[in-house]
Structure formats: structure tokens, C-alpha cells
């Protein structure tokens, strides 16, 4: 219409134009008016572009549009997949609220918490029941523990604390980090080294009748070395005179009072908790209750978690809801002991008695190893 009005205002010179020329001029002026009303990029835009006003980046890096409205939520250089296209079609929200979800990383790749130096360490003793205490206390949701013995403070100390930290599990701020290495209790340098790491470290010692412990130690070694000399040959320098060989490791470990004296040079007694290996068998829930109290934990591990395995002669953990079978300790636990001459046993009891009495006095508890 505007073109017709404009054409009507042209001075009369139509007598000079042919009918065809007038027609062509009208079409040209109509085109100019149309271009003025509708921008070229709107005309040329492809029907497949989901958000017309958004900036589009071409393959050569040139930009077709330099303005990008805030309502754009989809990048035009990334075409939606067929699944996404179907989802977008079914979404009834206004186009300005559509968004592309960033996929979450697989749960197996997520790492929660940090690796920390241990707050508590089970430092001994070998064949006393340390593995049982560790497995039982790990039921507690606020405890994380290294699964294997690290032997950091007795064999790998030169590797440094950062190496040691790397062996620990990741824990949340509210959780305790633990490890257990039974040989720590009898290693002279260990108390000072742990104290240098942290004087606040809590220590757990699982003790057992030293005679029974020595026989259990020998039984385990014999299973790996069948040609081992007899127990009596290793335990005595002269059995007829009752002279015990304290250089044999199986005997030396049972001198609890001597080892404890070394620990008390660096840690107060209140920072060391003693677990009875015998009561751990007869009353695991009771012993674990005291361990939880010592660590400042709520009593979550209770008698409902245990049952007595008559075959092994040892308590096992009841079947967890996520598992198909109960969880007992390994085959090396609850192994039948080698039969030892009764006279040798009585001689060893006489040898250990003064050390046991001194140990009872030091810790303020009678373990009744008679």
C-alpha cells in the first residue's frame, strides 16, 4: 500500500514509460518496502534452529549474529540428540526455561572425604585378637580403617608420613581413621615415633594369656614351616632346669609389663586401652562396648551383631542385610593348637607369673591368666 501511495506522488511522466516499465518499477519498489519491514536474517533463518535469536557460530569461526538474548538456553552449535529432541518436544514449559542437564559423574568415581593420619592404632599384640577387634569395630559407621597391616612405625618409617597417610582410607570429618599392626607393641622405637606424629593418638592393645598366645604363635608358624623344631626346643634353653629362652620372639612378646614400660614413657596410661583376648571370645559385645567408649563413639556395635561359631570356637559377625552369608575371620583364626607337654606349660606359667602380676598392677586390672 505504501508503495502505491509513493508511486502516485511521482510527477506525471507516465506518457514516457511503457506499460511494462511501469510494472517492473512497481515490483522493484514493492521489494524495497518488503525488505525494510522484514530483516534479511529473519527471512534466511533455517527452520531447524530451535532458538531464532541466538548467536550461531559457523564452522569457520565467523558469527552470523552478534547479539544473543538472555532467553537463549541452548547452544546452537550443539544439535540435540534424538532422545533430547523427543524430551524437548514433550516438555510443556516455555522455551525460555528449557535447559540441558550436565550429566553426573559415575558414583564409582566420586571420592568423599580426605585421607588422614590415624586417630587410633591397634598396636598389639600378635595372636591376641587384633584382627577380630579391627573387623568388629569397622562395623561402626564412624570408623574407617586400613585393611592391611602397614608396618609403618617399625619397617617403613623412612618412607615418611605422607606415604603413611596415603595408605589410609578416605574419611569424613566426623569419622575416625584406624590401622592395626600388632608388632608395634614390641618394637622399641614405635612409641616415640607415634608420639612424634601425634601425642593425642589413642592406642589399643589386645592382650591374651602369654602361654596360650605363645602356643598359638608357634602353631601359626608351624603351618607355614613344617620342619620347625618342637615348641619345647624353642621355648627353653634348658627345660630340665626351667630356663626359658626369652630371645625367642614367641616368648618375648608375652612380657607385657616390660613392653608397656616403654610406652608409658611417651603416652599416659589413660590413652591406652587394653582388650582381653579371652573375653573377646566369650563376650565380644561387652569388649566392643568398652572399645567404643574409649574411642568416644556411640555404642552401635552390640550383641545383635554377633553369633558364636562352634566349629571355629570363635564369634562371627551375623549376616549383614547386603550379604548372603555370615562373616567369620579367616582360616588362620580359631586354628586348633599344637599339643604341648603339660610340664612345659606349667614351667612357662611359673616363668610368666611375676611379669603378669606386675602388668596387672600397671593397668589396674587382673586378667586372671592362671
Amino acid at each position: 500500500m505504501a508503495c502505491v501511495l509513493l508511486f502516485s506522488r511521482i510527477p506525471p511522466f507516465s506518457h514516457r514509460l511503457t506499460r511494462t516499465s511501469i510494472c517492473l518499477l512497481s515490483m522493484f519498489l514493492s521489494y524495497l518496502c518488503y525488505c525494510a519491514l522484514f530483516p534479511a536474517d529473519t527471512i534466511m533463518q533455517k527452520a531447524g534452529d530451535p532458538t531464532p535469536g541466538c548467536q550461531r557460530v559457523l564452522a569457520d569461526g565467523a558469527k552470523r549474529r552478534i547479539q544473543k538474548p538472555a532467553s537463549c538456553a541452548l547452544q546452537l552449535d550443539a544439535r540435540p540428540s534424538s532422545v533430547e529432541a523427543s524430551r524437548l518436544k514433550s516438555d510443556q514449559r516455555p522455551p525460555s526455561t528449557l535447559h540441558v542437564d550436565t550429566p553426573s559423574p559415575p558414583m564409582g568415581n566420586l571420592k568423599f572425604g580426605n585421607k588422614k593420619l590415624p586417630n587410633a592404632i591397634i598396636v598389639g599384640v600378635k595372636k591376641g585378637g587384633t584382627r577380630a577387634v579391627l573387623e568388629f569395630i569397622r562395623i561402626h559407621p564412624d570408623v574407617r580403617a586400613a585393611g592391611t597391616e602397614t608396618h609403618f612405625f617399625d619397617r617403613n618409617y623412612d618412607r615418611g608420613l605422607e606415604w603413611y597417610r596415603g595408605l589410609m582410607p578416605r574419611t569424613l570429618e566426623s569419622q575416625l581413621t584406624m590401622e592395626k599392626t600388632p608388632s608395634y607393641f614390641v618394637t622399641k622405637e614405635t612409641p616415640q615415633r607415634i608420639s612424634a606424629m601425634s601425642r593425642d593418638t589413642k592406642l589399643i592393645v589386645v592382650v591374651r594369656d602369654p602361654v596360650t598366645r605363645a602356643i598359638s604363635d608357634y602353631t601359626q608358624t608351624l603351618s607355614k614351616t613344617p620342619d620347625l623344631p618342637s615348641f619345647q626346643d624353642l621355648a627353653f634353653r634348658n627345660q630340665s632346669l626351667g630356663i626359658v629362652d626369652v630371645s625367642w620372639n614367641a616368648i618375648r612378646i608375652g612380657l607385657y609389663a616390660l613392653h608397656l614400660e616403654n610406652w608409658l614413657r611417651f603416652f599416659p596410661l589413660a590413652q591406652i586401652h587394653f582388650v582381653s583376648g579371652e573375653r573377646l571370645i566369650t563376650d565380644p559385645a561387652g569388649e566392643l562396648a568398652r572399645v567404643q567408649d574409649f574411642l568416644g563413639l556411640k555404642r552401635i556395635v552390640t550383641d545383635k551383631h554377633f553369633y558364636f561359631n562352634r566349629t571355629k570356637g570363635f564369634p562371627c559377625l551375623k549376616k549383614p542385610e547386603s550379604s548372603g552369608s555370615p562373616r567369620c575371620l579367616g582360616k588362620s583364626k580359631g586354628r586348633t593348637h599344637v599339643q604341648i607337654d603339660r610340664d612345659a606349660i606349667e614351667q612357662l606359667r611359673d616363668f610368666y607369673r611375676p611379669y603378669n602380676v606386675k602388668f596387672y598392677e600397671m593397668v589396674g586390672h587382673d586378667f586372671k591368666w592362671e
Side-chain angles (χ1 to χ4, degrees):
M1 186 65 182
C3 294
V4 173
L5 292 175
L6 179 62
F7 187 79
S8 66
R9 292 178 179 274
I10 298 177
F13 59 97
S14 58
H15 60 282
R16 299 180 183 178
L17 301 176
T18 65
R19 187 181 297 273
T20 301
S21 299
I22 293 174
C23 183
L24 290 175
L25 181 59
S26 299
M27 293 176 63
F28 176 71
L29 292 175
S30 297
Y31 176 76
L32 291 179
C33 293
Y34 189 86
C35 292
L37 293 174
F38 302 97
D41 58 345
T42 303
I43 299 172
M44 298 298 294
Q45 183 175 354
K46 295 180 179 179
D49 291 340
T51 51
C54 293
Q55 175 176 292
R56 180 176 180 79
V57 181
L58 301 181
D60 59 0
K63 296 180 179 178
R64 181 168 293 176
R65 293 293 303 272
I66 61 173
Q67 293 182 347
K68 182 178 179 181
S71 62
C72 293
L74 293 174
Q75 294 295 330
L76 297 183
D77 55 318
R79 289 285 184 266
S81 65
S82 59
V83 176
E84 290 174 328
S86 175
R87 178 177 60 81
L88 291 176
K89 287 181 181 179
S90 63
D91 198 321
Q92 299 302 316
R93 294 174 295 176
S96 60
T97 64
L98 295 178
H99 66 280
V100 177
D101 294 327
T102 303
S104 301
M107 289 300 293
N109 295 334
L110 295 178
K111 296 181 179 179
F112 298 103
N114 300 302
K115 293 193 173 187
K116 300 181 293 186
L117 294 172
N119 310 95
I121 304 176
I122 301 174
V123 297
V125 297
K126 181 183 179 184
K127 305 307 295 180
T130 58
R131 172 56 62 180
V133 172
L134 183 70
E135 292 302 319
F136 294 165
I137 195 62
R138 288 172 79 176
I139 299 173
H140 202 292
D142 291 336
V143 174
R144 297 294 309 281
T148 58
E149 297 174 7
T150 68
H151 286 281
F152 173 66
F153 293 104
D154 58 350
R155 301 178 188 173
N156 299 299
Y157 193 65
D158 58 339
R159 293 177 179 264
L161 285 174
E162 288 308 307
W163 178 85
Y164 183 47
R165 187 198 305 271
L167 301 179
M168 297 300 115
R170 291 184 178 275
T171 54
L172 302 177
E173 192 63 31
S174 60
Q175 292 177 315
L176 291 177
T177 302
M178 291 185 66
E179 74 119 327
K180 78 105 178 171
T181 302
S183 57
Y184 286 165
F185 189 65
V186 298
T187 305
K188 184 178 180 180
E189 299 81 11
T190 298
Q192 183 177 9
R193 290 172 175 177
I194 294 179
S195 177
M197 176 188 73
S198 173
R199 294 183 178 180
D200 297 326
T201 305
K202 293 187 175 183
L203 309 169
I204 296 175
V205 185
V206 189
V207 290
R208 184 182 184 186
D209 182 335
V211 177
T212 306
R213 197 221 64 81
I215 296 173
S216 178
D217 197 340
Y218 174 79
T219 301
Q220 182 182 50
T221 305
L222 184 64
S223 67
K224 301 175 182 178
T225 313
D227 58 347
L228 198 66
S230 70
F231 179 85
Q232 289 91 324
D233 289 343
L234 295 171
F236 296 93
R237 288 185 178 180
N238 189 323
Q239 186 177 358
S240 61
L241 298 177
I243 301 177
V244 177
D245 188 353
V246 294
S247 66
W248 186 34
N249 196 50
I251 296 295
R252 186 174 63 88
I253 290 174
L255 304 176
Y256 303 141
L258 297 183
H259 302 306
L260 182 57
E261 286 179 344
N262 187 37
W263 284 88
L264 293 179
R265 292 170 54 201
F266 302 95
F267 291 94
L269 185 63
Q271 216 163 306
I272 307 174
H273 179 71
F274 298 92
V275 176
S276 168
E278 287 78 20
R279 285 201 304 268
L280 188 63
I281 296 174
T282 60
D283 182 21
E287 283 302 298
L288 264 293
R290 286 180 278 272
V291 171
Q292 290 170 96
D293 292 345
F294 172 69
L295 295 175
L297 300 171
K298 182 179 179 180
R299 289 189 177 185
I300 292 179
V301 184
T302 62
D303 54 1
K304 69 181 181 181
H305 291 93
F306 302 98
Y307 80 96
F308 190 79
N309 186 309
R310 296 185 180 279
T311 302
K312 295 181 71 66
F314 206 84
C316 295
L317 296 173
K318 289 183 179 179
K319 180 181 69 173
E321 294 181 0
S322 60
S323 175
S325 61
R327 192 172 81 214
C328 289
L329 301 179
K331 295 180 180 180
S332 64
K333 311 302 178 184
R335 183 190 287 117
T336 302
H337 289 176
V338 174
Q339 292 296 317
I340 305 298
D341 181 73
R342 188 66 194 174
D343 290 338
I345 292 178
E346 290 302 322
Q347 287 176 304
L348 286 176
R349 293 202 180 282
D350 291 339
F351 166 76
Y352 277 119
R353 186 171 292 108
Y355 295 100
N356 292 344
V357 171
K358 184 177 181 179
F359 180 67
Y360 299 162
E361 293 174 350
M362 293 174 71
V363 303
H365 181 78
D366 185 351
F367 289 88
K368 303 183 183 303
W369 292 325
E370 293 296 336

